[in-house]
Amino acid sequence: MPDQRSTMMGKLRVLVVEDEALVADYVADVIEEAGHEVAGFAATGEKALEYLLHERVDLAVLDIKLKGSLSGIDVAQAARERAIPHVFISGSGDPSTRQAAEATGPLAFLQKPFNQAKLVSVLETVTECKATSEPPPSIGGEGRRG
Amino acid sequence: MRILFVDDDPDARVLAIRAVAQEFPNAGFREASDLVSLDQTLLEQAPDILVTDFDLRWTDGIAIFDRVKATNPFCCCVMFTGTGNEELAVRAIKHGFDDYVVKGAKQLRRLATAVRTAYDRGRELRELGENRDLVLKELYHRLHNNLQIVISLLRMTEKAIATQGDREQLADLGRRIQALSALQEEFYRSEDFRKVDFAAFLQRLAGSLTELKVGYVRLTSRLEAMVLPVDLAVPFGLIANEIFTNSLKHALPEGRSGGLSVALERLGDRAVLTVADDGDGVRGVDLFAATSGLGMRLIGRLTEQVGGEISFERGDTGAICRINVPL
């Protein structure tokens, strides 16, 4: 039961949904340095949905504007239906976009360029919640405060 | 589209509506001849166009203008009056009316043209405003994405570099870019791209730098509300970033817990930022006083740029850095 063991060890499988390759790599770096693993990379919403359907994903890190017809907010809704927690990392400062994103119940909304400590803090929250089988708290607004 | 006619004389309203309807056959026409009917129609829906007489038994055209504009600031307003003269025409235009037409049988065609021209000009302005908002949103998004790419590139470079000292320099550069980006966000939030809520920026900056640090930092802040112009906020913000970073790095080295207090206040015509740590005061002061180091050089140059003064002193529990800049 490899999945269970890795959960017990607190290692998360994180899906990185981001269409800028360099940013995706940076996000992956932060995830791996924090001791977790990248479940996959998706530059489009369609590809992200495939991962959510077929792979074990403990957390989805989502950009909002993506290549293709689906946005990160669409992916967030799909993740939510499958009880997979998600966090947004976006360059959008538009209040209506942010409102729509927050309505999906993310763990945080991180503004680009994001503070890596905040992402690490989200990873810690999800790890703790997995260990205690509690649903992670969704956070609107500014994201987690250290 | 809704067009409102305000006139005491019902025949004048009918004639005006008939004339304007030739230009706007599909518009909804409303009439008002007293305060009650005016308020009722404004309550239903704000008009897109107003045609009003000046001399009314119950008020005047200027007051009507103010009432209508309060419900729709983009409403096009044309004064259509028989009692007017040059002086009134000037007053109406100065007050914000789009046009002024003198009543008369031969003037009805002119009224229709004036309303059409004013409406089209208003629409262009509205569309320009909407386009500007779209461009601003797109620029904001692009800017933040590009800053994120810069940070990602820095991180990659940092990892490819072998020496610890060089890595730290790059990490500092990353923090400087983050500080600029946080300022940018405050500019966007203020909706006036020339001013920034500096207290909100400092709170955000100190919070994010503290989070980056290993070890617990007790952050206390006392920040007086202060809106600063961009040409002051950017250098002052970068100075604050250097001071915070310096305190966190040297007075509270990695793993060591301690307190950092930040205060911003207005003293006369100057803004004063005070940063105090409860680390090793002697060491802190010595480090600040050292003239070498990029951080210190940046603080010096930027302080000079804004005509500010900076001082370092030894407090009871640690180092205190105080910078004041003219507002």
Side-chain angles (χ1 to χ4, degrees), chain A residues 20 22-23 25-26 29-30 33 65 89-95 98 111-118 142 144-146, chain B residues 137-138 140-142 144-149 151-153 155-156 159 177-178 181 185 188-189 204 207-209 211-212:
Chain A
E20 288 283 358
L22 295 181
V23 178
D25 283 358
Y26 173 42
D29 255 7
V30 176
E33 263 187 24
K65 277 194 183 174
I89 298 183
S90 168
S92 171
D94 178 30
R98 184 154 181 160
Q111 180 70 48
K112 282 181 181 176
F114 71 98
N115 181 337
Q116 68 181 75
K118 285 192 174 164
E142 261 307 288
R144 285 178 56 80
R145 299 256 173 224
Chain B
K137 268 182 203 167
E138 189 51 38
Y140 176 91
H141 187 248
R142 228 338 86 198
H144 281 254
N145 267 347
N146 286 348
L147 281 169
Q148 181 66 71
I149 291 174
I151 298 268
S152 307
L153 284 168
R155 167 89 169 194
M156 284 175 174
K159 288 185 88 172
I177 293 169
Q178 290 272 13
S181 159
E185 210 178 323
Y188 185 79
R189 279 183 192 199
R204 176 191 288 256
S208 65
L209 287 174
E211 277 180 20
L212 279 174

